[in-house]
Amino acid sequence: AQTVTQSQPEMSVQEAETVTLSCTYDTSENNYYLFWYKQPPSRQMILVIRQEAYKQQNATENRFSVNFQKAAKSFSLKISDSQLGDTAMYFCAFFSGYALNFGKGTSLLVTP
Amino acid sequence: GAGVSQSPSNKVTEKGKDVELRCDPISGHTALYWYRQRLGQGLEFLIYFQGNSAPDKSGLPSDRFSAERTGESVSTLTIQRTQQEDSAVYLCASSLGLPGIPEAFFGQGTRLTVV
């Protein structure tokens, strides 16, 4: 079974600063997808960014980017120019053709 | 509709009663997931439907939990003889099956409170 580990239960960052959330996973598969989801207090899960394992280039979506290290099985999320609206739970997720497995999440607080 | 719809939004039930939660996925999405999220916790996988394949029920916590899906449409999650420990938000998600991009779209969830 694939496992996803987020080692930072809580993080805090000041507005306009940069923060990196870590995620590692365990799999024997070669082809898979990785995702970061955001869950604000409204509890609606929103996709932030995705990465296909066969792509070497790191995915980027505006202020959000990933550092995908396939050999190390690491998939960190970098949020640049943090905004108050980025305050939320962030979940890393893994998919290889079976169920979509999530990490336990990192609670991010952006302070003024 | 345009997104994943779940009903009811909130449900309060007495211990020992049965409850049924409903999920309407996005049209054309062959994959459907159910997750449980306890307060302040992560997403606990319950069950996964993919097209006409046998569902992956490996996450169901006990035989009190069951789920059905008719074709590629509505799914219902049933909890029998509810216990206080069943209190949580139940999230449903749907996605395109492979070889499509398996990006999961989530509903707003059903908050279940067992009193």
Side-chain angles (χ1 to χ4, degrees):
Chain A
Q2 290 86 1
T3 57
V4 180
T5 302
Q6 294 180 248
S7 59
Q8 306 151 313
E10 296 180 350
M11 292 194 73
S12 179
V13 63
Q14 282 196 317
E15 204 173 1
E17 297 296 307
T18 295
V19 64
T20 299
L21 310 183
S22 66
C23 172
T24 58
Y25 56 94
D26 183 24
T27 185
S28 57
E29 302 284 341
N30 191 48
N31 296 316
Y32 49 87
Y33 292 82
L34 294 161
F35 304 90
W36 278 98
Y37 280 86
K38 169 184 177 180
Q39 188 181 41
S42 68
R43 100 180 174 218
Q44 177 67 56
M45 292 280 285
I46 303 163
L47 178 70
V48 174
I49 197 165
R50 72 165 182 262
Q51 174 82 42
E52 291 92 330
Y54 65 86
K55 290 187 177 179
Q56 294 185 335
Q57 186 172 7
N58 289 323
T60 299
E61 288 287 341
N62 301 313
R63 297 183 295 108
F64 299 87
S65 61
V66 299
N67 182 4
F68 173 48
Q69 302 289 329
K70 190 172 183 179
K73 297 179 183 176
S74 171
F75 183 61
S76 61
L77 175 69
K78 185 171 82 171
I79 306 174
S80 303
D81 185 26
S82 297
Q83 301 176 359
L84 296 178
D86 294 334
T87 292
M89 283 288 290
Y90 286 81
F91 294 97
C92 178
F94 173 98
F95 180 88
S96 67
Y98 307 103
L100 182 61
N101 292 309
F102 285 83
K104 294 189 181 299
T106 296
S107 178
L108 176 67
L109 175 66
V110 181
T111 59
Chain B
V4 178
S5 177
Q6 291 188 246
S7 59
S9 300
N10 291 281
K11 175 73 176 178
V12 180
T13 190
E14 292 182 350
K15 180 181 172 181
K17 301 276 189 177
D18 297 353
V19 294
E20 191 171 276
L21 312 181
R22 177 187 170 105
C23 174
D24 281 275
I26 293 172
S27 178
H29 281 191
T30 59
L32 186 146
Y33 306 84
W34 282 100
Y35 294 91
R36 178 169 69 180
Q37 187 175 29
R38 293 197 166 106
L39 185 63
Q41 302 297 310
L43 276 70
E44 178 186 358
F45 167 73
L46 297 178
I47 189 168
Y48 167 49
F49 295 92
Q50 172 55 66
N52 295 319
S53 301
D56 177 354
K57 302 180 179 181
S58 60
L60 295 177
S62 76
D63 59 7
R64 297 187 295 105
F65 288 74
S66 63
E68 299 291 332
R69 187 183 187 194
T70 305
E72 296 179 358
S73 60
V74 171
S75 176
T76 55
L77 175 68
T78 301
I79 308 174
Q80 296 178 309
R81 305 180 301 282
T82 51
Q83 305 293 314
Q84 288 185 330
E85 68 206 40
D86 299 334
S87 294
V89 174
Y90 290 82
L91 290 167
C92 175
S94 71
S95 74
L96 293 171
L98 292 176
I101 301 293
E103 172 185 342
F105 293 81
F106 282 81
Q108 283 273 24
T110 294
R111 182 180 298 280
L112 176 66
T113 304
V114 182
V115 297

